[in-house]
Each structure stands twice: as structure tokens, then as C-alpha cells.
Coordinates of all heavy atoms in Angstrom, one line a residue:
E201 N 153.1 124.1 81.7 CA 154.2 124.9 81.3 C 155.5 124.2 81.7 O 155.6 123.5 82.8 CB 154.2 126.3 82.1 CG 155.2 127.2 81.7 CD 155.1 128.6 82.3 OE1 153.8 129.1 82.4 OE2 156.0 129.2 82.5
G202 N 156.4 124.1 80.9 CA 157.8 123.5 81.1 C 157.9 122.0 80.7 O 158.8 121.4 80.7
Q203 N 156.7 121.5 80.3 CA 156.6 120.2 79.9 C 157.3 119.9 78.5 O 156.9 120.8 77.6 CB 155.1 119.6 79.8 CG 155.1 118.2 79.5 CD 153.7 117.7 79.5 OE1 152.7 118.4 79.9 NE2 153.5 116.4 79.0
V204 N 158.1 119.0 78.3 CA 158.9 118.8 77.1 C 157.8 118.0 76.2 O 157.4 117.0 76.6 CB 160.2 118.1 77.2 CG1 160.8 117.7 75.9 CG2 161.1 119.0 78.1
I205 N 157.7 118.5 75.0 CA 156.9 117.8 74.0 C 157.6 117.6 72.7 O 158.5 118.4 72.3 CB 155.5 118.4 73.8 CG1 155.7 119.9 73.2 CG2 154.7 118.5 75.0 CD1 154.4 120.6 72.9
S206 N 157.1 116.7 71.8 CA 157.7 116.5 70.5 C 156.6 116.6 69.6 O 155.4 116.1 69.8 CB 158.3 115.1 70.5 OG 159.0 114.9 69.2
V207 N 156.8 117.4 68.4 CA 155.7 117.6 67.5 C 156.2 117.6 66.1 O 157.3 118.0 65.7 CB 155.1 119.1 67.7 CG1 154.0 119.2 66.8 CG2 154.6 119.3 69.1
I208 N 155.4 116.8 65.2 CA 155.7 116.8 63.7 C 154.8 117.7 63.1 O 153.6 117.9 63.4 CB 155.4 115.4 63.2 CG1 156.4 114.4 63.9 CG2 155.7 115.3 61.7 CD1 156.1 112.9 63.5
G209 N 155.3 118.5 62.2 CA 154.6 119.5 61.5 C 155.3 120.0 60.2 O 156.4 119.6 59.8
I210 N 154.6 120.9 59.4 CA 155.2 121.5 58.2 C 155.7 122.9 58.6 O 154.9 123.7 59.1 CB 154.0 121.5 57.1 CG1 153.4 120.2 56.8 CG2 154.6 122.0 55.9 CD1 154.2 119.1 56.5
V211 N 156.9 123.2 58.1 CA 157.4 124.6 58.3 C 156.7 125.5 57.6 O 156.4 125.3 56.3 CB 158.9 124.5 57.9 CG1 159.5 125.9 58.0 CG2 159.7 123.6 58.6
N212 N 156.2 126.6 58.3 CA 155.4 127.6 57.6 C 156.2 129.0 57.7 O 155.8 130.0 57.0 CB 154.1 127.8 58.2 CG 153.9 128.2 59.6 OD1 154.5 127.7 60.5 ND2 153.1 129.2 59.9
E213 N 157.3 129.0 58.5 CA 158.0 130.3 58.6 C 159.3 129.9 59.2 O 159.4 129.0 60.2 CB 157.2 131.3 59.5 CG 157.9 132.6 59.5 CD 157.0 133.7 60.3 OE1 156.1 133.3 61.0 OE2 157.4 134.9 60.3
I214 N 160.4 130.6 58.9 CA 161.8 130.6 59.4 C 162.2 132.0 59.6 O 162.0 132.8 58.6 CB 162.8 129.9 58.7 CG1 162.4 128.4 58.4 CG2 164.2 129.9 59.3 CD1 163.1 127.6 57.4
G215 N 162.5 132.5 60.9 CA 162.9 133.7 61.1 C 163.5 134.1 62.4 O 163.9 133.2 63.0
N216 N 163.4 135.5 62.8 CA 164.0 135.9 64.1 C 162.9 136.6 64.8 O 162.2 137.4 64.1 CB 165.2 136.7 63.8 CG 166.3 136.0 63.4 OD1 166.4 135.5 62.2 ND2 167.3 135.8 64.3
H217 N 162.8 136.4 66.2 CA 161.8 137.0 66.9 C 162.1 138.6 66.9 O 163.1 139.1 66.9 CB 162.0 136.6 68.3 CG 160.8 137.0 69.3 ND1 160.9 138.3 69.9 CD2 159.7 136.4 69.7 CE1 159.8 138.4 70.6 NE2 159.1 137.3 70.5
L218 N 160.8 139.3 66.8 CA 160.9 140.7 66.6 C 161.7 141.4 67.7 O 162.3 142.4 67.5 CB 159.6 141.3 66.3 CG 159.0 140.9 65.1 CD1 157.4 141.5 65.0 CD2 159.7 141.5 63.9
I219 N 161.5 141.0 68.9 CA 161.9 141.7 70.1 C 163.3 141.2 70.4 O 164.3 141.9 70.8 CB 161.0 141.6 71.3 CG1 159.8 142.5 70.9 CG2 161.7 142.2 72.5 CD1 158.6 142.2 71.8
T220 N 163.4 139.9 70.6 CA 164.7 139.2 71.1 C 165.7 138.8 70.1 O 166.9 138.6 70.4 CB 164.4 137.8 71.9 OG1 163.9 136.9 70.9 CG2 163.3 138.2 73.0
D221 N 165.3 138.9 68.8 CA 166.2 138.4 67.6 C 166.5 137.0 67.8 O 167.3 136.6 67.0 CB 167.4 139.3 67.6 CG 168.0 139.3 66.1 OD1 167.2 139.3 65.1 OD2 169.2 139.3 66.0
E222 N 165.8 136.2 68.5 CA 166.2 134.8 68.7 C 165.6 134.1 67.5 O 164.5 134.3 67.0 CB 165.5 134.3 70.1 CG 165.5 132.9 70.4 CD 164.9 132.7 71.7 OE1 164.1 133.5 72.1 OE2 165.1 131.6 72.3
P223 N 166.4 133.1 66.9 CA 165.9 132.4 65.7 C 164.9 131.4 66.0 O 164.8 130.8 67.1 CB 167.2 131.7 65.2 CG 168.1 131.7 66.3 CD 167.8 132.8 67.3
Y224 N 163.9 131.2 65.1 CA 162.9 130.3 65.4 C 162.5 129.6 64.0 O 162.6 130.2 62.9 CB 161.7 131.0 66.0 CG 160.9 131.9 65.2 CD1 159.8 131.5 64.3 CD2 161.2 133.2 65.1 CE1 159.1 132.3 63.6 CE2 160.4 134.1 64.4 CZ 159.4 133.7 63.5 OH 158.7 134.5 62.8
V225 N 161.8 128.5 64.2 CA 161.1 127.8 63.0 C 159.7 127.7 63.5 O 159.4 127.2 64.8 CB 161.8 126.4 62.9 CG1 160.9 125.6 61.8 CG2 163.1 126.6 62.3
S226 N 158.7 128.0 62.8 CA 157.2 127.8 63.0 C 156.7 126.8 62.2 O 157.0 126.7 61.0 CB 156.5 129.1 62.8 OG 155.3 129.1 63.1
I227 N 156.1 125.8 62.8 CA 155.3 124.7 62.0 C 153.8 124.8 62.3 O 153.4 125.3 63.3 CB 155.9 123.3 62.5 CG1 155.6 123.0 64.0 CG2 157.5 123.2 62.1 CD1 156.0 121.6 64.4
N228 N 153.1 124.1 61.4 CA 151.7 123.9 61.6 C 151.3 122.7 60.8 O 152.1 121.9 60.6 CB 150.8 125.1 61.3 CG 151.0 125.6 59.7 OD1 151.2 124.7 58.9 ND2 150.7 126.8 59.4
S229 N 150.0 122.5 60.6 CA 149.5 121.2 60.0 C 149.8 121.2 58.5 O 149.8 120.2 57.8 CB 148.1 121.0 60.2 OG 147.3 122.0 59.5
G230 N 150.0 122.3 57.9 CA 150.2 122.5 56.4 C 148.9 122.7 55.7 O 148.9 122.8 54.5
A231 N 147.7 122.7 56.4 CA 146.5 123.0 55.9 C 146.5 124.5 55.3 O 146.9 125.5 55.9 CB 145.3 122.6 56.8
M232 N 145.7 124.6 54.2 CA 145.5 126.0 53.7 C 144.6 126.8 54.7 O 143.8 126.2 55.4 CB 144.7 125.9 52.4 CG 144.7 127.2 51.8 SD 143.8 127.2 50.2 CE 144.7 126.2 49.1
F233 N 145.0 128.0 55.0 CA 144.4 128.8 56.0 C 144.5 128.4 57.3 O 143.6 128.7 58.4 CB 142.8 129.0 55.6 CG 142.5 129.3 54.1 CD1 141.9 128.6 53.4 CD2 143.0 130.6 53.7 CE1 141.6 128.9 52.0 CE2 142.9 130.9 52.5 CZ 142.0 130.1 51.6
E234 N 145.5 127.7 57.7 CA 145.9 127.3 59.1 C 146.3 128.5 59.9 O 147.1 129.4 59.6 CB 147.0 126.2 59.1 CG 147.5 125.9 60.5 CD 146.5 125.1 61.2 OE1 146.2 124.0 60.7 OE2 146.1 125.4 62.3
L235 N 145.5 128.7 61.0 CA 145.9 129.8 62.0 C 146.9 129.4 63.1 O 147.6 130.3 63.5 CB 144.6 130.4 62.5 CG 143.6 131.1 61.6 CD1 142.5 131.6 62.4 CD2 144.3 132.3 60.8
N236 N 146.7 128.2 63.6 CA 147.5 127.8 64.8 C 148.9 127.4 64.4 O 149.1 126.9 63.3 CB 146.8 126.6 65.5 CG 145.5 127.0 66.1 OD1 145.4 128.1 66.7 ND2 144.6 126.2 65.9
S237 N 149.9 127.7 65.1 CA 151.3 127.3 64.7 C 151.9 127.0 66.1 O 151.5 127.4 67.3 CB 152.0 128.3 63.9 OG 152.1 129.5 64.7
I238 N 153.2 126.5 66.0 CA 154.2 126.2 67.1 C 155.4 126.7 66.8 O 155.9 126.5 65.8 CB 154.2 124.8 67.6 CG1 152.9 124.1 67.8 CG2 155.2 124.4 68.6 CD1 152.9 122.6 68.0
Q239 N 156.0 127.7 67.6 CA 157.2 128.3 67.4 C 158.3 127.6 68.1 O 158.2 127.6 69.5 CB 157.2 129.8 67.7 CG 156.5 130.7 66.8 CD 156.6 132.1 67.0 OE1 157.0 132.6 68.1 NE2 156.5 133.0 66.1
C240 N 159.2 127.0 67.5 CA 160.4 126.5 68.2 C 161.6 127.4 68.1 O 162.2 127.7 67.2 CB 160.8 125.2 67.1 SG 162.2 124.4 67.8
M241 N 161.8 127.9 69.4 CA 162.9 128.9 69.6 C 164.2 128.1 69.7 O 164.4 127.4 70.6 CB 162.6 129.7 70.7 CG 161.2 130.4 70.8 SD 160.7 131.3 69.3 CE 161.6 132.8 69.5
I242 N 165.0 128.3 68.6 CA 166.2 127.5 68.5 C 167.4 128.4 69.0 O 167.5 129.6 68.8 CB 166.4 126.9 67.1 CG1 166.5 128.0 66.1 CG2 165.5 125.8 66.9 CD1 166.7 127.6 64.7
S243 N 168.5 127.6 69.5 CA 169.6 128.4 70.0 C 170.7 128.6 68.9 O 171.6 129.4 68.9 CB 170.2 127.8 71.1 OG 170.6 126.4 70.8
N244 N 170.6 127.6 67.9 CA 171.6 127.7 66.9 C 171.0 127.8 65.4 O 170.4 126.7 65.1 CB 172.6 126.4 66.9 CG 173.7 126.4 66.0 OD1 173.7 127.1 65.1 ND2 174.5 125.5 66.3
I245 N 171.1 128.8 64.8 CA 170.5 129.0 63.4 C 170.9 127.8 62.4 O 170.3 127.5 61.5 CB 170.7 130.3 62.8 CG1 169.7 130.6 61.7 CG2 172.2 130.6 62.5 CD1 168.4 130.8 62.0
D246 N 172.1 127.3 62.6 CA 172.6 126.2 61.8 C 171.6 125.0 61.8 O 171.7 124.2 60.8 CB 173.9 125.7 62.3 CG 174.9 126.8 62.0 OD1 174.8 127.7 61.2 OD2 176.1 126.7 62.7
Q247 N 170.7 124.8 62.7 CA 169.8 123.8 62.8 C 168.8 123.9 61.6 O 168.2 123.0 61.2 CB 169.0 123.8 64.2 CG 169.8 123.3 65.3 CD 168.8 123.1 66.4 OE1 167.9 122.3 66.4 NE2 169.1 123.8 67.5
V248 N 168.7 125.1 61.0 CA 167.8 125.2 59.9 C 168.3 124.9 58.5 O 167.6 125.0 57.6 CB 166.9 126.6 59.9 CG1 166.1 126.7 61.2 CG2 167.9 127.6 59.7
S249 N 169.6 124.7 58.5 CA 170.2 124.3 57.2 C 169.5 123.2 56.5 O 169.2 122.1 57.2 CB 171.7 124.1 57.3 OG 171.9 122.9 58.0
G250 N 169.1 123.3 55.3 CA 168.5 122.2 54.5 C 167.0 122.2 54.8 O 166.3 121.4 54.2
I251 N 166.4 123.2 55.6 CA 165.0 123.2 55.7 C 164.5 124.4 55.1 O 165.1 125.5 55.0 CB 164.8 123.3 57.3 CG1 165.2 122.0 57.9 CG2 163.2 123.6 57.6 CD1 165.1 122.0 59.5
S252 N 163.2 124.3 54.5 CA 162.6 125.4 53.9 C 161.1 125.3 54.2 O 160.7 124.3 54.7 CB 162.8 125.4 52.4 OG 162.3 124.3 51.8
V253 N 160.4 126.5 53.9 CA 159.0 126.5 54.1 C 158.3 125.3 53.3 O 158.7 125.0 52.2 CB 158.4 127.8 53.7 CG1 156.9 127.8 53.6 CG2 158.8 128.9 54.7
G254 N 157.5 124.5 54.0 CA 156.8 123.3 53.2 C 157.4 122.0 53.6 O 156.9 120.9 53.3
T255 N 158.6 122.0 54.4 CA 159.4 120.8 54.8 C 158.7 120.3 56.0 O 158.4 121.0 57.0 CB 160.8 121.2 55.1 OG1 161.5 121.7 54.0 CG2 161.6 120.0 55.4
E256 N 158.5 118.9 56.0 CA 158.1 118.3 57.3 C 159.3 118.0 58.2 O 160.2 117.4 57.8 CB 157.3 116.9 57.0 CG 156.7 116.3 58.3 CD 155.9 115.1 57.9 OE1 154.8 115.1 57.6 OE2 156.6 113.9 58.2
I257 N 159.1 118.4 59.5 CA 160.2 118.2 60.4 C 159.5 117.8 61.8 O 158.3 118.0 61.9 CB 161.0 119.5 60.7 CG1 160.1 120.7 61.2 CG2 161.7 120.0 59.4 CD1 160.9 121.9 61.7
T258 N 160.4 117.3 62.7 CA 160.0 117.1 64.1 C 160.7 118.0 65.0 O 162.0 118.2 64.8 CB 160.3 115.6 64.5 OG1 159.7 114.7 63.5 CG2 160.0 115.3 65.9
I259 N 160.1 118.6 65.9 CA 160.7 119.5 66.9 C 160.4 119.1 68.3 O 159.4 118.2 68.5 CB 160.1 121.0 66.7 CG1 158.6 121.1 67.0 CG2 160.5 121.6 65.4 CD1 158.1 122.6 67.0
E260 N 161.3 119.3 69.1 CA 161.1 119.0 70.7 C 161.6 120.1 71.5 O 162.6 120.6 71.4 CB 162.0 117.7 70.9 CG 161.9 117.2 72.2 CD 162.6 115.9 72.5 OE1 162.1 114.8 72.1 OE2 163.7 115.9 73.0
G261 N 160.7 120.4 72.4 CA 161.0 121.5 73.3 C 160.1 121.6 74.5 O 159.2 121.0 74.6
A262 N 160.5 122.5 75.3 CA 159.7 122.8 76.5 C 158.5 123.9 76.2 O 158.9 125.1 75.8 CB 160.5 123.3 77.6
F263 N 157.3 123.5 76.5 CA 156.3 124.4 76.4 C 156.3 125.6 77.3 O 156.4 125.4 78.5 CB 154.9 123.6 76.4 CG 153.7 124.6 76.4 CD1 153.1 125.0 75.2 CD2 153.1 125.0 77.6 CE1 152.1 125.9 75.2 CE2 152.0 125.8 77.6 CZ 151.5 126.3 76.4
I264 N 156.3 126.9 76.8 CA 156.3 127.9 77.7 C 155.0 128.8 77.7 O 154.7 129.4 78.8 CB 157.6 128.9 77.6 CG1 157.7 129.5 76.2 CG2 158.8 128.1 77.8 CD1 158.7 130.6 76.2
E265 N 154.5 128.9 76.5 CA 153.3 129.8 76.5 C 152.4 129.5 75.2 O 152.9 129.0 74.3 CB 153.6 131.2 76.7 CG 154.4 131.8 75.5 CD 154.8 133.2 75.5 OE1 154.3 133.9 76.4 OE2 155.6 133.7 74.8
W266 N 151.2 130.0 75.5 CA 150.2 129.9 74.3 C 149.6 131.4 74.2 O 149.1 131.9 75.2 CB 149.0 128.9 74.6 CG 148.0 129.0 73.5 CD1 146.9 129.8 73.4 CD2 148.1 128.2 72.3 NE1 146.3 129.4 72.2 CE2 146.9 128.6 71.5 CE3 149.1 127.3 71.8 CZ2 146.7 127.9 70.2 CZ3 148.7 126.7 70.6 CH2 147.5 127.0 69.9
V267 N 149.9 131.9 73.0 CA 149.5 133.3 72.8 C 148.7 133.4 71.6 O 149.1 133.1 70.4 CB 150.7 134.3 72.7 CG1 150.1 135.7 72.4 CG2 151.5 134.3 74.0
V268 N 147.4 133.8 71.7 CA 146.4 133.8 70.6 C 146.4 132.5 69.7 O 145.7 131.6 70.2 CB 146.7 135.1 69.7 CG1 145.5 135.1 68.7 CG2 146.9 136.3 70.5
F269 N 147.1 132.4 68.7 CA 147.1 131.3 67.8 C 148.4 130.5 67.8 O 148.6 129.7 66.9 CB 146.7 131.7 66.4 CG 145.3 132.2 66.2 CD1 145.0 133.5 66.0 CD2 144.2 131.4 66.4 CE1 143.8 134.0 65.8 CE2 142.9 131.9 66.3 CZ 142.7 133.1 66.0
S270 N 149.3 130.8 68.8 CA 150.6 130.2 68.6 C 151.1 129.8 70.0 O 151.1 130.5 71.0 CB 151.6 131.4 68.1 OG 152.9 130.8 68.0
A271 N 151.6 128.6 70.0 CA 152.4 128.1 71.1 C 153.9 128.2 71.0 O 154.4 128.3 69.9 CB 152.0 126.6 71.3
T272 N 154.7 128.4 72.0 CA 156.1 128.7 72.0 C 156.7 127.6 72.9 O 156.3 127.3 73.9 CB 156.5 130.0 72.5 OG1 155.8 131.1 71.8 CG2 158.0 130.3 72.4
L273 N 157.8 127.0 72.2 CA 158.7 126.0 72.8 C 160.0 126.7 73.0 O 160.6 127.1 72.0 CB 158.7 124.8 72.0 CG 157.4 123.9 71.5 CD1 157.7 122.6 70.8 CD2 156.7 123.7 72.9
R274 N 160.6 126.7 74.3 CA 161.8 127.2 74.4 C 162.5 126.5 75.7 O 161.7 126.5 76.7 CB 161.8 128.7 74.7 CG 163.2 129.2 75.0 CD 163.2 130.8 75.4 NE 162.7 131.6 74.2 CZ 161.7 132.4 74.4 NH1 160.9 132.5 75.4 NH2 161.3 133.2 73.5
P275 N 163.7 125.9 75.7 CA 164.3 125.7 74.6 C 163.8 124.7 73.7 O 163.0 123.8 74.0 CB 165.8 125.2 75.1 CG 165.4 124.5 76.4 CD 164.2 125.2 77.0
C276 N 164.2 124.6 72.4 CA 163.7 123.8 71.4 C 164.7 123.5 70.4 O 165.7 124.1 70.1 CB 162.5 124.6 70.7 SG 161.6 123.5 69.6
S277 N 164.6 122.2 69.8 CA 165.6 121.8 68.8 C 164.8 121.0 67.8 O 163.7 120.5 67.9 CB 166.6 121.0 69.4 OG 166.2 119.8 70.0
I278 N 165.4 120.9 66.6 CA 164.9 120.2 65.4 C 165.5 118.8 65.5 O 166.6 118.7 65.6 CB 165.2 120.8 64.1 CG1 164.6 122.3 64.1 CG2 164.8 120.1 63.0 CD1 165.1 123.2 62.9
K279 N 164.5 117.8 65.8 CA 165.0 116.5 66.0 C 164.9 115.6 64.7 O 165.7 114.7 64.5 CB 164.2 115.8 67.0 CG 164.3 116.4 68.5 CD 165.6 116.2 68.9 CE 165.9 116.7 70.3 NZ 167.2 116.6 70.8
G280 N 164.1 115.8 63.9 CA 163.9 115.1 62.6 C 163.8 116.0 61.4 O 162.9 117.0 61.4
K281 N 164.5 115.9 60.4 CA 164.4 116.7 59.2 C 164.7 115.8 58.1 O 165.3 114.7 58.1 CB 165.2 117.9 59.1 CG 166.8 117.7 59.5 CD 167.4 119.1 59.6 CE 168.8 119.0 59.8 NZ 169.5 120.3 59.9
P282 N 164.4 116.3 56.8 CA 164.6 115.4 55.7 C 166.1 115.0 55.5 O 167.0 115.9 55.8 CB 164.0 116.2 54.5 CG 163.9 117.5 54.9 CD 163.9 117.5 56.4
N283 N 166.3 113.9 54.8 CA 167.8 113.6 54.5 C 168.1 114.3 53.1 O 167.4 114.6 52.3 CB 167.8 111.9 54.2 CG 167.5 111.4 55.5 OD1 167.7 111.9 56.6 ND2 166.8 110.2 55.4

């Protein structure tokens, strides 16, 4: 917990947390029927400009928890996105 990691993946969801309304980007391997994902809780929604579902990105953040099929990174930011 708290360790900063960097992960490359395919965006499978962009949204806001149901309880905190915090913006996030969720990535996974891009495989069909993929259950596992990593939620990158971002502080600035502007980071997702130019990003859509299916885009490959790099995220970096502090691991805080693993719940069922999803890991959460907070704080987290998008480090690499398409030009």
C-alpha cells in the first residue's frame, strides 16, 4: 500500500466515482471479457482530454487498495497518451 507504480493499459472506462464524484480513468489489458482493471483516480478531469475508450495510455500513481477485480491508484496521473 502506498507504493507508486506505473502501468500501461487500454482505457476501458472514463467516469466519476459513485460516492466521492472523483474523476477516474480505468484501464485493463484490452482483452475481450477482461475482468481485472486499474482505476486511476485523477485530480484534474482535463487530463482525459483527447483520451477515449480503447486508447492505450500510461498511468502512474500510489496503490491504495484491491477490491474484487479492481486496483485503485490515488493520487494518480496520466503520464503517456497518444499524440
Side-chain angles (χ1 to χ4, degrees):
E201 190 172 321
Q203 183 175 355
V204 175
I205 61 172
S206 181
V207 184
I208 298 170
I210 306 298
V211 175
N212 67 311
E213 186 177 10
I214 300 170
N216 290 71
H217 190 274
L218 291 173
I219 297 170
T220 65
D221 202 39
E222 188 176 9
Y224 70 87
V225 174
S226 179
I227 65 171
N228 63 22
S229 70
M232 191 181 294
F233 308 119
E234 175 70 61
L235 294 177
N236 297 315
S237 65
I238 301 173
Q239 286 190 337
C240 175
M241 309 307 286
I242 56 178
S243 58
N244 183 348
I245 194 67
D246 293 339
Q247 287 190 58
V248 298
S249 66
I251 294 175
S252 59
V253 171
T255 303
E256 182 178 281
I257 62 171
T258 302
I259 60 173
E260 184 177 278
F263 172 80
I264 62 163
E265 66 182 346
W266 179 268
V267 177
V268 188
F269 296 110
S270 181
T272 302
L273 305 182
R274 180 188 292 121
C276 186
S277 59
I278 299 168
K279 295 296 183 186
K281 56 184 179 179
N283 297 327

